[in-house]
Amino acid sequence: MANHEIRDITIIGAGPTGLFALFYAGMRGASAQIIEALPEPGGQLTALYPEKFIFDVAGFPKVLAKDLVHALREQAAQFGEPVHCGQQVVALEEDDGVFTLVTATDRFPTRALIIAAGIGAFSPRRLPQACAEPWYGRGIHDTVLDPKAFAGRQVVIIGGGDTAFDWAHQLEGVAKAITLVHRSDRFRAHQATVDAVMAAATAGRVAMRTFHELADVVAEDGRLVALDLRDIKQKTVRRVAADDVLPMLGFVSDMGALLAWGLTLEKNEIVVNQTMETGRPGVWAAGDVNTYPGKLKLIATGFAEAATAVNQAVHWVYPEKKVNPGHSSNLAVFGQKDD
Ligand SMILES: Cc1cc2nc3c(=O)[nH]c(=O)nc-3n(C[C@H](O)[C@H](O)[C@H](O)COP(=O)(O)OP(=O)(O)OC[C@H]3O[C@@H](n4cnc5c(N)ncnc54)[C@H](O)[C@@H]3O)c2cc1C
């Protein structure tokens, strides 16, 4: 187990709420860190809708979800506090006023905790067919980090949602061949992306296989070389050459360990008061994960709640520091003159 240095504030979740909380903790002079289950920060924006425009974030007439995440990362990075990705918190220990967050490999001690875990830890939904399971990591990939890895490859994408269409669109001109497989002809993706992929299909640059599903994986010399696809309507099977298969079937989320931490819950959400207190001293909750009368699950609300939670946590760790942060436009930390 790797033991990390103790921090003033640790935030669970690198969604928009957690990223803004990390910035805010740095602004208040607290040491901080985020622990995030996914390989990349951004929460739902990265995992579910990176290519969609958001229209209700203050100050942006419209902003692509992935661009908002980029800006939040840049804002938080000013203070150099770490975001530990690929680490799902599975347990919380408390000893002598110090919490320790435990993942499969690491231990993260902290004086205060802010839970910004959204709708829980995500993991990509796996293909239901048992024949696929042995090929994960050996031809079947459920996360794509670098599209260039598919240059010159024959790629089969399975799914009918935003991620499937976004990747079909983005890999055009990169991959040698793209086949998009979906069980129906109804898609749950942004219409502009569907239109772009359909236009590519009409031009012969993408093969659309609607009403098809995976029947079997075909291997040669221990290497995945093709998929057998079943036509659900015609009850026939066709073989499609494949170097790489990308099942883009959405994500399953798991509140898991968080539910066992003695917090007051309502329908898997953490009940907080107007200062984002959970009722467990030293633990606050902000963003989609919490609930109170009138709660709105929006990015804008998560930002405000992050500020409230961090200011409370700072005062908890350093009672001599005020809850009220003052105005950033006057703060010495940004090179301005303190009031
Ligand atoms: C398709 C879609 C469109 C949307 N459009 C808009 C919009 O236009 N405007 C708007 O305001 N809102 C929109 N939303 C809602 C918005 O995305 C959420 O309100 C926002 O993401 C909540 O942010 P968060 O940081 O609280 O949680 P999340 O974004 O859910 O992030 C939580 C993070 O915590 C991590 N996590 C959870 N449990 C653990 C654990 N045990 N260990 C480690 N990490 C953990 C998760 O992996 C995740 O990355 C949309 C949502 C969807 C799905």
Side-chain angles (χ1 to χ4, degrees):
M1 276 271 178
N3 280 299
H4 293 257
E5 258 178 44
I6 189 163
R7 294 300 229 248
D8 293 331
I9 299 175
T10 297
I11 300 146
I12 300 180
T17 307
L19 287 170
F20 190 60
L22 187 68
F23 156 75
Y24 218 95
M27 184 182 94
R28 293 291 330 254
S31 63
Q33 64 189 346
I34 295 184
I35 308 175
E36 168 57 53
L38 288 172
E40 289 283 311
Q44 295 173 49
L45 286 73
T46 300
L48 302 179
Y49 60 108
E51 300 292 337
K52 272 191 151 75
F53 279 112
I54 303 169
F55 298 89
D56 56 352
V57 176
F60 292 93
K62 68 175 186 177
V63 58
L64 273 179
K66 66 177 182 189
D67 292 344
L68 181 61
V69 172
H70 184 79
L72 285 163
R73 290 177 72 174
E74 193 180 321
Q75 187 181 29
Q78 294 178 77
F79 301 105
E81 300 295 324
V83 180
H84 303 281
C85 286
Q87 297 268 3
Q88 179 169 349
V89 176
V90 292
L92 172 67
E93 298 171 0
E94 188 176 357
D95 186 21
D96 216 7
V98 172
F99 297 104
T100 300
L101 292 157
V102 184
T103 69
T105 53
D106 292 35
R107 295 173 62 81
F108 300 90
T110 187
R111 298 181 178 93
L113 172 61
I114 297 179
I115 303 173
I119 49 175
F122 296 101
S123 52
R125 193 183 298 280
R126 289 171 97 84
L127 282 161
Q129 293 87 349
C131 61
E133 205 52 39
W135 297 99
Y136 273 87
R138 304 167 53 212
I140 299 185
H141 318 276
D142 53 13
T143 39
V144 179
L145 294 181
D146 182 8
K148 290 196 284 298
F150 301 99
R153 314 271 292 172
Q154 304 175 98
V155 178
V156 178
I157 300 170
I158 304 177
D162 274 312
T163 337
F165 273 85
D166 286 345
W167 283 119
H169 187 41
Q170 291 194 28
L171 291 177
E172 237 204 287
V174 177
K176 179 171 147 196
I178 300 171
T179 305
L180 185 58
V181 180
H182 185 44
R183 295 190 84 251
S184 80
D185 61 355
R186 287 198 311 274
F187 309 118
R188 301 172 317 279
H190 193 49
Q191 193 55 45
T193 323
V194 174
D195 291 346
V197 172
M198 286 310 201
T202 307
R205 298 193 303 275
V206 171
M208 289 295 297
R209 297 284 172 237
T210 50
F211 297 106
H212 279 70
E213 64 181 9
L214 174 67
D216 210 351
V217 174
V218 184
E220 269 174 24
D221 301 327
R223 197 171 62 84
L224 186 154
V225 293
L227 295 185
D228 281 342
L229 300 177
R230 183 183 300 111
D231 184 323
I232 301 166
K233 285 188 156 175
Q234 309 291 330
K235 312 281 182 221
T236 52
V237 172
R238 74 165 69 219
R239 185 159 292 185
V240 175
D243 301 310
D244 299 289
V245 180
L246 310 180
M248 296 292 158
L249 306 173
F251 286 76
V252 281
S253 71
D254 172 20
M255 291 298 284
L258 275 61
L259 302 180
W261 292 354
L263 308 171
T264 307
L265 301 170
E266 255 177 42
K267 295 189 190 144
N268 277 359
E269 290 157 354
I270 301 170
V271 176
V272 293
N273 64 11
Q274 72 275 23
T275 56
M276 304 304 127
E277 282 172 344
T278 61
R280 183 166 173 172
V283 182
W284 289 262
D288 274 15
V289 78
N290 76 15
T291 187
Y292 50 83
K295 167 76 184 183
L296 293 175
K297 289 195 184 203
L298 290 173
I299 295 163
T301 347
F303 289 163
E305 293 169 5
T308 300
V310 170
N311 284 316
Q312 294 292 332
V314 165
H315 179 64
W316 159 270
V317 176
Y318 298 106
E320 71 281 10
K321 290 198 179 195
K322 291 181 182 154
V323 171
N324 192 325
H327 295 144
S328 70
S329 50
N330 291 331
L331 292 184
V333 71
F334 297 115
Q336 309 302 308
K337 194 174 168 303
D338 273 348
D339 272 346

